[in-house]
Amino acid sequence: MAYLSSNNGTLVDQLEREALYIHSSENSSLTLTSSLLDGTNFLSLSRSVHVALGTKMKLGFIDRTFPRPPAGLVFFEQWRRVNLMVTSWIWNSLSRDIVDSFMFVASSLELWLEIQNRYGRSNGPMIYQIQREISFISQRDLSLTAYVTKLKKYWNELLFLAPNPKCTCGGCTCGVNKAIEEKTEHVQLMQFLMVLHESFDREVKY
């Protein structure tokens, strides 16, 4: 990302202006996600953090696209202020049992990378764990709505970790994309029906 011009002190593009702006309603007590990281929910927390920071134009502080500028630049202090704010927002998104071990990081980027390294397991084990959860899921006493919501959460996580392949040739007419989507929906339907409460199961059979 381009930096402030040292000659006239103005922002060279709108993205930097937005990234360095903190709204009056935003403060260090803000939380980026409704569910705090407890060590087992990194995937959902990561998604929430990225969406929240993206809407605030602050994602560049943790994805390396807005790195620490040289200390001599006129807006260095402003960048450092926003960086500290983002750091505090991420701290606020961690459970009390976890946050203390991340209190002495140097930047929001370093904080996020440490969290990612500790709790963001590689896709393989995470996919295995989600598939395992799906295999053990049961409607039991859940309402149909709650049951579907739980299943969709797992399905969305799987698609996030292992997206379906898509034709990228730009002129495909064979319908492979639609076929893959239909196959995925069929698998999900079978998973849904297999563990329905027995009262619903009887209705499906008869």
Side-chain angles (χ1 to χ4, degrees):
M1 184 178 286
Y3 290 130
L4 276 170
S5 167
S6 58
N7 295 325
N8 55 27
T10 60
L11 289 170
V12 296
D13 59 42
Q14 182 64 28
L15 290 178
E16 282 186 355
R17 186 176 295 109
E18 293 289 341
L20 293 173
Y21 173 73
I22 296 179
H23 192 271
S24 59
S25 64
E26 296 174 338
N27 55 64
S28 60
S29 64
L30 186 147
T31 302
L32 298 175
T33 176
S34 58
S35 299
L36 304 183
L37 178 67
D38 60 10
T40 65
N41 58 339
F42 173 78
L43 187 62
S44 58
L45 176 120
S46 175
R47 178 63 175 162
S48 296
V49 167
H50 277 75
V51 170
L53 290 180
T55 60
K56 299 176 183 298
M57 299 296 292
K58 305 293 187 290
L59 193 56
F61 285 85
I62 67 168
D63 70 1
R64 303 178 189 270
T65 58
F66 198 3
R68 181 183 185 274
L73 287 185
V74 66
F75 81 121
F76 172 75
E77 289 300 329
Q78 189 175 358
W79 181 94
R80 182 161 64 176
R81 174 174 177 257
V82 178
N83 175 66
L84 290 172
M85 187 72 75
V86 173
T87 299
S88 68
W89 292 344
I90 297 176
W91 278 338
N92 296 339
S93 301
L94 309 180
S95 67
R96 290 184 178 180
D97 295 335
I98 290 175
V99 67
D100 286 346
S101 62
F102 295 103
M103 293 302 294
F104 297 97
V105 294
S107 67
S108 56
L109 172 61
E110 181 180 324
L111 170 60
W112 185 247
L113 290 177
E114 286 198 18
I115 294 172
Q116 195 172 46
N117 289 336
R118 187 176 303 183
Y119 299 107
R121 296 170 293 176
S122 63
N123 286 5
M126 294 181 74
I127 291 172
Y128 166 79
Q129 184 61 36
I130 294 170
Q131 291 282 21
R132 190 171 185 273
E133 292 292 337
I134 291 176
S135 69
F136 283 109
I137 195 173
S138 172
Q139 185 184 357
R140 296 178 184 173
D141 296 327
L142 293 175
S143 68
L144 188 59
T145 300
Y147 168 62
V148 171
T149 300
K150 193 171 185 179
L151 264 179
K152 284 185 68 67
K153 172 182 177 292
Y154 289 134
W155 291 338
N156 290 338
E157 289 178 349
L158 278 178
L159 287 175
F160 177 77
L161 290 170
N164 285 331
K166 291 184 179 295
C167 175
T168 58
C169 69
C172 181
T173 58
C174 68
V176 64
N177 290 342
K178 183 178 180 181
I180 291 174
E181 290 178 2
E182 289 177 348
K183 182 177 181 180
T184 299
E185 291 173 356
H186 177 75
V187 171
Q188 292 176 347
L189 176 61
M190 293 302 102
Q191 291 173 338
F192 168 74
L193 294 176
M194 285 171 62
V195 287
L196 273 176
H197 190 277
E198 59 180 10
S199 61
F200 291 101
D201 191 39
R202 284 195 297 270
E203 292 183 18
V204 171
K205 290 179 179 178
Y206 300 104

